[in-house]
Amino acid sequence: MRPSSFFLTAVSALGLARSCFSSVINQRSYVDYEDVSYSIDVPQNTSSTGSGPIYLRLRAPPGVKWFALGQGSQMTDGNLFIIYSAPDNNITLSTRRATGHVQPQYDSSMHAYLEEGSGIYDGIMTANIRCDNCTTLANGKSAVGNPSSWSWALTYGPPLVSSNVSEMLYQHDWHGSFTLDLAKNAGSNFSNPYYVPLRFAPNLSPYSNPHQVSDTILHKKRIAHGVMTSVAFVLLFPNFALLLYIVPSRRTVAWIHAPLQAFAVLLALAGFGVGVSVSKDLQELGGYHPVIGYVAVGGVVIIQPILGIMQHLHFRKTGTSSLYGVSHRYLGRFLAALGIINGGLGFHYATSKNPDIPPASPIAYGIICGAMFMIYVAVILWRRRKNKLQAAHSMALKCVENKGNLAKMDNSSNSTLVPVPDGAIDASRNKPWER
């Protein structure tokens, strides 16, 4: 099954039916059997009182290893209904809860059951589910309020064929979320709403905020974000700044430092863009790692170039440094350090979302950062020592020149040393003695 086909069809199926009998989507009328679909029915009594049974229908074609529907916009929000194949063309309903981005654990406290019509027919898994205590999320909020948030996930592969409700599950290949207005689409009070006569064709109620993510693409974007931003902040910004110390010349800033730093800024900006995309996929644009990234990247993209240009213009006029140059230097060091630290926080942040990250990655990052710090400090100390030696050498030369000038001074009548031309001294030596 193509992911694009799945998305288009699954999205068209995510909604509620409004009728006098039921709010269940008529799958035969609106969804092709080649795709995954989810349906939700909240009886009128449950919608009005906030407690009671809710009904779910989950369907998936061959090639899906397991698929799930969850309450809340994230898997940690509420109840998870996970479906996979069982022996003899049966299916297994595994009710689980998640405490983080790890495999959810089976939860027997959820009173959910498979109803008539559940099983595998022509290779299609169908789960008609009734849950009697699934109207509240883990945070205490209502799961059947207005709007109601839901999430979904699936993994491709061969059938599990297991009746174990605690079966080991592989990480999902696709996941997403959507919201529904269940208050406006309360269903009937039928005991089994999945057998509504076809003549009562339901009218779909629009869903909102559809969201889907390919975990394979998400993983690649995470790697791209980490590599681009780490290279920019750990390697390029510090090394290109050191060129001013290694190659001290009037042309270094305009011909070497500025163009290379501009390239580093573009790389950091590209990594930032990919990071924003990752945050949108995870629906966590306001986490500590993204916020620090906004500050660090915003500084190197906007503030640093302005300060650098102002200092360059000032230097061309006066040949001296200014507050622009001092601010550019120390703010650059601060932003580079902030980006490096945020990179370390990013590994911690990513590990909490994906435990499969190799432990060697943050260790290698730390080693590279430590080595770069020592190189940066060593080059600055070397340049300062060299500048002091050059200053001392220049001072010594000036002293020698001053001594030479003193040897050519004469004492006038007013006891003030005045310079005597070299020719006058030679003439006086050649003049014969007068008696």
Side-chain angles (χ1 to χ4, degrees):
M1 179 180 64
R2 298 185 305 273
S4 58
S5 175
F6 157 74
F7 175 63
L8 292 175
T9 318
V11 162
S12 67
L14 296 177
L16 294 177
R18 180 186 298 175
S19 69
C20 60
F21 291 97
S22 177
S23 63
V24 178
I25 297 176
N26 189 327
Q27 305 295 337
R28 294 182 182 273
S29 301
Y30 293 92
V31 180
D32 192 282
Y33 280 164
E34 294 180 356
D35 297 291
V36 177
S37 63
Y38 303 91
S39 301
I40 303 166
D41 173 46
V42 179
Q44 293 176 353
N45 291 343
T46 302
S47 178
S48 60
T49 62
S51 63
I54 63 172
Y55 300 90
L56 311 171
R57 169 177 278 188
L58 287 67
R59 310 187 78 174
V64 174
K65 194 179 192 72
W66 65 263
F67 66 120
L69 182 65
Q71 295 177 300
S73 59
Q74 298 182 2
M75 62 184 295
T76 56
D77 288 342
N79 308 313
L80 298 176
F81 307 91
I82 303 178
I83 304 299
Y84 43 88
S85 63
D88 300 325
N89 287 329
N90 293 318
I91 60 172
T92 299
L93 167 62
S94 178
T95 53
R96 305 195 183 196
R97 294 184 188 271
T99 57
H101 286 264
V102 294
Q103 179 179 240
Q105 301 299 314
Y106 173 70
D107 186 357
S108 60
S109 65
M110 293 171 57
H111 300 160
Y113 318 94
L114 289 173
E115 300 247 300
E116 185 180 357
S118 301
I120 301 176
Y121 306 98
D122 297 327
I124 299 171
M125 288 188 288
T126 300
N128 297 329
I129 304 171
R130 168 177 172 164
C131 185
D132 294 332
N133 63 342
C134 296
T135 57
T136 304
L137 300 177
N139 56 13
K141 295 182 179 180
S142 174
V144 293
N146 181 21
S148 177
S149 298
W150 298 79
S151 59
W152 56 267
L154 65 86
T155 291
Y156 300 116
L160 280 176
V161 191
S162 172
S163 57
N164 180 10
V165 292
S166 298
E167 182 71 28
M168 176 71 70
L169 300 179
Y170 296 94
Q171 187 175 0
H172 44 71
D173 296 326
W174 287 79
H175 70 276
S177 62
F178 60 95
T179 58
L180 293 171
D181 187 354
L182 298 181
K184 293 182 179 180
N185 296 276
S188 71
N189 293 315
F190 288 169
S191 60
N192 193 337
Y194 305 112
Y195 285 90
V196 177
L198 291 180
R199 63 176 179 273
F200 299 110
N203 299 316
L204 296 182
S205 174
Y207 58 87
S208 61
N209 301 322
H211 178 71
Q212 78 148 8
V213 177
S214 167
D215 292 278
T216 301
I217 298 176
L218 176 61
H219 179 68
K220 293 180 180 179
K221 288 194 292 187
R222 277 175 164 168
I223 294 176
H225 167 68
V227 170
M228 286 190 289
T229 53
S230 295
V231 169
F233 280 95
V234 178
L235 299 178
L236 300 190
F237 285 134
N239 282 314
F240 293 163
L242 289 178
L243 291 175
L244 297 174
Y245 296 88
I246 299 174
V247 189
S249 170
R250 296 176 62 92
R251 298 179 180 273
T252 301
V253 172
W255 294 92
I256 300 177
H257 174 74
L260 292 179
Q261 289 290 42
F263 169 76
V265 167
L266 293 177
L267 184 63
L269 191 59
F272 171 78
V274 177
V276 170
S277 177
V278 172
S279 297
K280 287 182 177 179
D281 289 343
L282 299 176
Q283 296 183 307
E284 296 183 4
L285 289 170
Y288 60 87
H289 175 68
V291 170
I292 297 175
Y294 302 152
V295 175
V297 175
V300 299
V301 171
I302 300 174
I303 302 177
Q304 279 295 88
I306 294 175
L307 292 175
I309 292 172
M310 295 300 293
Q311 166 57 28
H312 182 66
L313 296 176
H314 176 84
F315 183 83
R316 290 182 62 180
K317 291 180 179 180
T318 65
T320 61
S321 182
S322 67
L323 182 60
Y324 298 118
V326 175
S327 301
H328 179 75
R329 183 188 313 127
Y330 286 99
L331 180 61
R333 293 174 181 176
F334 169 76
L335 292 175
L338 184 65
I340 291 172
I341 293 172
N342 197 38
L345 296 176
F347 276 105
H348 175 73
Y349 184 80
T351 303
S352 66
K353 304 297 180 184
N354 185 5
D356 296 332
I357 294 178
S361 298
I363 295 175
Y365 179 82
I367 293 174
I368 295 173
C369 291
M372 190 62 238
F373 174 77
M374 290 188 291
I375 293 172
Y376 189 87
V377 173
V379 170
I380 291 179
L381 294 178
W382 166 77
R383 172 48 62 183
R384 288 181 178 178
R385 184 173 182 275
K386 190 171 183 179
N387 288 342
K388 288 181 179 180
L389 293 176
Q390 290 177 346
H393 182 67
S394 298
M395 183 63 69
L397 291 177
K398 289 182 179 179
C399 290
V400 171
E401 292 177 357
N402 290 336
K403 288 181 180 179
N405 291 333
L406 287 174
K408 300 176 182 179
M409 304 296 282
D410 192 10
N411 197 1
S412 64
S413 59
N414 59 1
S415 299
T416 302
L417 293 177
V418 296
V420 179
D422 294 339
I425 296 175
D426 296 336
S428 64
R429 289 176 179 175
N430 297 327
K431 185 177 180 179
W433 291 100
E434 294 181 358
R435 299 187 182 186

